[in-house]
Amino acid sequence: MSNKLQWISDELDALEQQGLRNPIRTIGSACGAWMIVDGKRVLNFCANNYLGLANDPRLKAAAQHAIDAWGVGPAAVRSIAGTLELHREFERRIAAFKGVEDALYVQSGFCANQAAIPPIVGKDDVIFTDRLNHASIIDGCRLSSAKILIYEHCDVADAERVIQENSGSYRRALLVTDGVFSMDGDLAPLDKLYAVCERHGVITMVDDAHGEGVVGRGGRGIVDHFGLHGKFDLEIGTLSKAFGVVGGVIAGKKIVVDWIRQRARPFLFSSAVTPADTAACLAAVNLLEQSTELVDQLWENTRYFKAEIGRIGFNIGASVTPITPLMLGDATRAQQFSRALFDNGVFAMAIGFPTVAKGKARIRVMISAAHTRADLDRGLEIFAQVGRELCVIK
Ligand SMILES: *Cc1c(COP(=O)(O)O)cnc(C)c1O
């Protein structure tokens, strides 16, 4: 008998030994500040539930109502018979919220990058991409068959150098960057990148997955944060983080969105988002337009937690957002740290290669508006205790 799958077991063993085998935990309750994880009630510092909307009664009511009115699934792709009035309404509302001309709602943020990039650039073209861009951007770039050229992380001078040296050799050029970098919590220098792209006629695209509902006025995102309305050609968003639901959005100039609507393969060949999800997203936009209360709470919690965790002595890298990495370096140590936190009732995951570079392992702590001051204090106490036990801090 041939042992054609033996290599998989070898690979898995190797991951185990390097502390890189991801122990995937199972959640036994709705997402909130506290959750049941692998049967144990713990304080949650893992979710992208920035505004606590994942279990919000107003979103749940909207979803339930939509199921009664529209059923559970559209049973069609958007371009054939799956475009509901609900989808169109959500697209109009999210476009207005973000201050863009048009928006297209797709199944996820991951899908949005697969959908948006290949219609814009192809084999005769070039993409300039930040070294730390999200995996879904990288895969979208690869799907396009364009030449991919990496510039150093958030390094505007390096981006301009790569653009200058190369754009003459290609038909079209696209620059793409995360807005808020998901593992470090730092911001792309969007205004400066835009200026460089303008000088060289490069199409601009930003992925705002961790910026939407978080940065900008009332959570209007990274473009709003930099006051660049109407300038970026393409903005990718997700409804599965701060908005607490699921789905992705491709927003920007009308002509660009019109073109993507004709060509995007996840839009043309994969079924539409369900009525319940769409209605919940719509309810989330309503909430954010009515009040900045949740976004304000998120930032109040973030400022408090970051000041305290820094005072305790942790290195949180370059973060300026609710994403708070506790930099540990070694992957095995990060996993050990995460296990010790869990034993003490805190859920915060270790992040290692390939999600971040080798030797840059960390615990990624996610702050939410759903945390009370008491939750944050309890968390800080346990981070400090485990940090001392594992000699990360004094
Ligand atoms: C999380 C994330 C995505 C994926 O969004 P989903 O809606 O979960 O598919 C895309 N881009 C970036 C930058 C992200 O952080």
Side-chain angles (χ1 to χ4, degrees):
M1 204 177 74
S2 88
N3 210 352
K4 64 185 180 185
L5 301 181
Q6 177 61 40
W7 64 274
I8 299 182
S9 136
D10 297 343
E11 292 282 349
L12 287 171
D13 288 347
L15 288 182
E16 190 76 54
Q17 256 143 45
Q18 297 162 63
L20 293 174
R21 181 160 182 171
N22 189 357
I24 297 167
R25 297 197 184 273
T26 306
I27 311 303
S29 64
C31 180
W34 290 83
M35 290 199 308
I36 309 289
V37 181
D38 288 342
K40 176 175 168 144
R41 187 167 181 271
V42 290
L43 187 49
N44 177 19
F45 285 106
C46 274
N48 301 315
N49 185 27
Y50 290 111
L51 301 176
L53 292 178
N55 193 33
D56 187 282
R58 294 160 292 190
L59 271 65
K60 292 201 287 191
Q64 281 156 354
H65 180 76
I67 289 174
D68 290 340
W70 292 90
V72 288
V77 301
R78 287 284 304 271
S79 56
I80 296 180
T83 293
L84 309 177
E85 286 166 12
L86 258 184
H87 294 134
R88 293 298 296 138
E89 188 185 352
F90 174 68
E91 288 172 344
R92 278 191 296 275
R93 293 292 306 284
I94 191 83
F97 177 70
K98 290 176 71 69
V100 292
E101 288 173 4
D102 203 356
L104 181 63
Y105 182 38
V106 294
Q107 301 88 344
S108 72
F110 196 99
C111 262
N113 280 314
Q114 320 293 292
I117 300 174
I120 301 298
V121 283
K123 67 176 174 34
D124 300 323
D125 305 320
V126 61
I127 301 171
F128 305 110
T129 173
D130 186 288
R131 182 172 291 288
L132 297 190
N133 274 348
H134 190 261
S136 60
I137 299 179
I138 297 171
D139 287 8
C141 292
R142 287 177 179 158
L143 272 178
S144 76
S145 308
K147 176 76 179 171
I148 298 167
L149 295 175
I150 292 171
Y151 61 87
E152 291 309 324
H153 177 54
C154 288
D155 186 337
V156 180
D158 195 51
E160 181 148 38
R161 179 190 63 77
V162 181
I163 290 171
Q164 241 157 7
E165 286 172 8
N166 294 282
S167 44
S169 319
Y170 296 90
R171 180 182 58 170
R172 285 197 289 272
L174 168 73
L175 180 138
V176 56
T177 181
D178 270 31
V180 176
F181 285 85
S182 51
M183 296 299 144
D184 292 85
D186 54 342
L187 301 185
L190 219 57
D191 47 349
K192 300 193 178 74
L193 288 171
Y194 174 74
V196 167
C197 290
E198 269 302 280
R199 277 202 290 283
H200 298 276
V202 175
I203 301 167
T204 47
M205 170 170 167
V206 60
D207 182 340
D208 202 17
H210 285 275
E212 241 149 17
V214 178
V215 301
R217 289 168 307 146
R220 282 172 174 73
I222 188 84
V223 166
D224 187 89
H225 173 85
F226 282 100
L228 293 169
H229 298 96
K231 300 222 157 98
F232 264 71
D233 299 306
L234 266 171
E235 295 174 38
I236 300 301
T238 174
L239 290 311
S240 28
K241 286 172 180 152
F243 283 71
V245 193
V246 75
V249 71
I250 302 166
K253 295 185 179 159
K254 182 169 188 318
I255 188 157
V256 179
V257 178
D258 272 346
W259 174 240
I260 289 171
R261 205 177 271 119
Q262 297 302 313
R263 282 289 181 270
R265 293 167 74 84
F267 181 77
L268 300 174
F269 297 106
S270 179
S271 293
V273 183
T274 68
D277 290 322
T278 313
C281 290
L282 201 47
V285 178
N286 284 338
L287 283 185
L288 290 182
E289 285 198 329
Q290 279 158 17
S291 159
T292 62
E293 191 185 326
L294 292 173
V295 179
D296 295 342
Q297 185 66 54
L298 169 67
W299 280 98
E300 188 183 317
N301 287 357
T302 297
R303 277 189 285 271
Y304 177 72
F305 185 85
K306 291 177 96 129
E308 293 300 310
I309 200 91
R311 210 174 45 73
I312 292 171
F314 284 101
N315 169 13
I316 60 166
S319 172
V320 292
T321 62
I323 300 168
T324 311
L326 309 185
M327 306 304 258
L328 298 175
D330 179 60
T332 310
R333 191 174 169 81
Q335 284 215 343
Q336 194 186 11
F337 201 105
S338 177
R339 268 195 307 273
L341 288 172
F342 193 77
D343 292 343
N344 285 284
V346 164
F347 185 34
M349 283 295 273
I351 312 264
F353 183 80
T355 308
V356 295
K358 284 189 171 146
K360 294 259 170 87
R362 65 202 63 184
I363 301 289
R364 190 174 68 145
V365 185
M366 301 297 281
I367 305 303
S368 168
H371 292 124
T372 63
R373 180 58 65 88
D375 294 337
L376 297 175
D377 284 337
R378 177 98 188 102
L380 286 161
E381 196 182 302
I382 293 165
F383 284 114
Q385 180 197 322
V386 172
R388 281 191 300 269
E389 274 166 21
L390 298 184
C391 301
V392 173
I393 55 169
K394 285 197 213 70

